[in-house]
Amino acid sequence: MEIILKYTIYEVEKIPLLESPQIPIAGRSNVGKSSFINCVSRKKKLAKISATPGKTRSINFYFLKDFKGYLVDLPGYGYAKKSKKERKKWALLIENYFDKNSQYIKGVILLIDASIPPQQADITLFNYIKDKGFNIIPVLTKEDKANMSAKNRNKNFWLDFASNFIEPIFFSSKTSKGRGQIIEILNYIFRNKEMHQNH
């Protein structure tokens, strides 16, 4: 599957209106968004991985040639060491992206760390996306670092919390677990002509 980084956007006014199907990827800082993109694309250096959480300050648009659509990497949220001003700027970027491209968004991949208990920041973002009217694909990352009880707890929490949504997918960028399921979902969503919104 060929994935190309097309746009990197730091400023609200530069967010493009892309008249193509899009699936944004949202998640807390340090949840593994860059690793997720690299694993799905099978390109180790497509998305830059940083040891510092909250490093991604931009929205990155990745073009999927096979689907003629975009995976959109949104800035990580909820990282306390960044200034309020910087966090506010990220929130504005995300808000404006959703508002500008809403009619082309076919669902949102929400990355959640499987190795720790559900976080308030994840619940807040889930509700934000749900309120926007988009369907959510919950993906539980770092599956290789989570023990069985953590995995069960997280899976059950998100199943209960997201009652009418897809069953959470366990994913590991190290072992590629869940990659096949992600490709299947991308294939289904991008090839389905109906927009996946609850509007």
Side-chain angles (χ1 to χ4, degrees):
M1 183 168 63
E2 197 172 346
I3 302 180
I4 304 154
L5 176 59
K6 268 284 182 86
Y7 308 102
T8 295
I9 306 296
Y10 289 90
E11 305 296 333
V12 166
E13 58 274 13
K14 291 183 180 170
I15 294 170
L17 169 62
L18 297 171
E19 295 178 351
S20 305
Q22 298 162 46
I23 300 176
I25 303 166
R28 270 186 316 108
S29 301
N30 207 27
V31 76
K33 282 196 281 96
S34 299
S35 301
F36 174 84
I37 290 162
N38 290 341
C39 179
V40 168
S41 68
R42 292 208 192 280
K43 287 184 182 175
K44 285 183 181 175
K45 294 179 181 175
L46 181 64
K48 291 189 178 113
I49 297 169
S50 169
T52 311
K55 190 80 175 168
T56 304
R57 298 188 300 273
S58 56
I59 299 181
N60 298 304
F61 293 82
Y62 294 92
F63 184 66
L64 282 69
K65 225 172 175 180
D66 296 359
F67 302 127
K68 296 184 172 60
Y70 289 86
L71 280 178
V72 183
D73 178 20
L74 300 175
Y77 63 90
Y79 191 59
K81 286 189 181 177
K82 294 293 174 186
S83 69
K84 272 189 182 173
K85 188 181 173 186
E86 208 161 3
R87 292 206 304 271
K88 196 175 176 184
K89 187 181 174 185
W90 292 355
L92 271 174
L93 269 177
I94 292 168
E95 179 80 28
N96 278 269
Y97 163 72
F98 276 125
D99 288 348
K100 198 165 195 177
N101 288 280
S102 62
Q103 73 185 97
Y104 299 103
I105 294 171
K106 302 191 77 176
V108 180
I109 292 174
L110 177 59
L111 300 187
I112 302 153
D113 190 334
S115 66
I116 59 174
Q119 304 289 298
Q120 185 54 51
D122 294 323
I123 294 165
T124 301
L125 186 66
F126 184 99
N127 286 328
Y128 170 80
I129 297 165
K130 190 178 171 187
D131 289 345
K132 289 273 183 195
F134 302 119
N135 281 350
I136 299 168
I137 303 118
V139 175
L140 296 167
T141 64
K142 305 185 185 181
E143 183 272 345
D144 53 292
K145 291 183 179 176
N147 61 33
M148 194 54 77
S149 66
K151 284 193 267 197
N152 287 335
R153 177 187 59 214
N154 275 301
K155 183 179 178 179
N156 291 334
F157 175 85
W158 289 103
L159 268 177
D160 291 343
F161 190 75
S163 53
N164 62 333
F165 288 81
I166 193 169
E167 184 171 318
I169 297 161
F170 282 105
F171 182 86
S172 167
S173 56
K174 286 198 174 161
T175 65
S176 293
K177 181 180 171 65
R179 183 184 180 273
Q181 279 176 279
I182 298 295
I183 301 294
E184 276 178 38
I185 285 170
L186 294 180
N187 192 47
Y188 175 78
I189 293 177
F190 277 121
R191 298 208 189 282
N192 184 349
K193 290 177 184 174
E194 291 299 311
M195 292 295 174
H196 279 228
Q197 288 177 282
N198 299 330
H199 292 321

